[in-house]
């Protein structure tokens, strides 16, 4: 827990996070869980068409780590597509490109990924209160230490 060096930078969470094949009853439906950083790997490599080196740089990880995440992502998507399983995008070990924080007094400010990794904020830049909390995109897990998003059920 809280191993910040493992965070992968993610620039966007997909607008839709659950896909279900048509014609399969929920009781019989198997589900594949695609981590948010796996979805980001597919987005960068397959949708934007970047080289693996660029993708790895954007996610602030090594090329071999990126390659492993991408392989895992593609394997899951293929499994879902060809075996008729649902895909749920959630959880993982990632951090957003920027994270919005709010203090007890209602001040809000954005903290870039690089700052979150090197020196997470400890007080509000305006009123200096230490009572601050990160705000989360709707429906994305709960709050962990230093604002890390942690998936449900992992
Ligand atoms: Zn404040």
């Amino acid at each position: 827990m809280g191993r910040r060096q493992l965070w992968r930078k993610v620039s966007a969470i997909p607008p839709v996070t659950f896909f279900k094949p048509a014609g399969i009853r929920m009781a019989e439906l198997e589900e594949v869980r695609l981590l948010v950083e796996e979805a980001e790997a597919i987005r960068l490599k397959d949708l934007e068409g970047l080289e693996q080196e660029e993708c790895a740089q954007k996610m602030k990880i090594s090329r071999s780590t990126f390659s492993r995440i991408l392989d895992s992502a593609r394997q899951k998507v293929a499994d879902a597509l060809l075996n008729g399983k649902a895909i749920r995008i959630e959880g993982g070990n990632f951090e957003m490109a920027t994270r919005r924080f709010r203090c007890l007094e209602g001040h809000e400010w954005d903290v870039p990924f690089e700052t979150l990794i090197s020196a997470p904020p400890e007080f509000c830049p305006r009123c200096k209160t230490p009572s601050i909390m990160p705000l989360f995109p709707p429906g994305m897990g709960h709050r962990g230490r230093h604002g890390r998003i942690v998936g449900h059920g992992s």
Side-chain angles (χ1 to χ4, degrees):
M1 304 304 286
R3 295 172 64 189
R4 276 176 285 158
Q5 70 273 21
L6 291 182
W7 282 357
R8 292 82 191 253
K9 181 177 178 179
V10 166
S11 61
I13 289 174
V16 175
T17 56
F18 187 67
F19 300 84
K20 176 186 176 301
I24 295 184
R25 285 181 299 181
M26 284 306 278
E28 294 165 5
L29 189 64
E30 286 188 74
E31 195 174 294
V32 167
R33 183 164 168 260
L34 192 67
L35 303 178
V36 171
E37 64 260 35
E38 291 174 335
E40 177 76 352
I42 289 179
R43 189 181 72 78
L44 292 172
K45 186 72 183 71
D46 297 332
L47 205 57
E48 294 197 1
L50 301 180
E51 296 298 326
Q52 286 215 4
E53 190 64 46
E54 293 176 86
C55 299
Q57 283 171 11
K58 281 190 182 292
M59 292 180 72
K60 306 287 183 196
I61 54 182
S62 71
R63 186 173 167 162
S64 62
T65 300
F66 179 82
S67 180
R68 188 163 44 76
I69 292 172
L70 183 66
D71 285 349
S72 169
R74 285 175 169 170
Q75 200 275 331
K76 287 179 181 180
V77 170
D79 180 31
L81 201 60
L82 300 171
N83 294 323
K85 298 179 182 178
I87 299 174
R88 186 182 299 280
I89 302 175
E90 69 175 10
N93 207 351
F94 68 94
E95 190 47 84
M96 299 299 293
T98 62
R99 168 61 51 79
R100 179 158 283 253
F101 277 76
R102 180 190 288 161
C103 83
L104 205 61
E105 304 296 319
H107 305 130
E108 291 188 11
W109 71 102
D110 292 317
V111 180
F113 174 82
E114 288 73 12
T115 306
L116 277 173
I117 297 302
S118 59
E122 290 171 1
F123 52 86
C124 172
R126 284 174 65 187
C127 68
K128 311 295 180 197
T129 175
S131 302
I132 62 174
M133 62 176 293
L135 303 178
F136 287 87
M140 287 307 302
H142 58 276
R143 181 157 50 105
R145 275 166 55 89
H146 299 303
R148 176 175 162 249
I149 293 177
V150 284
H152 336 231
S154 58

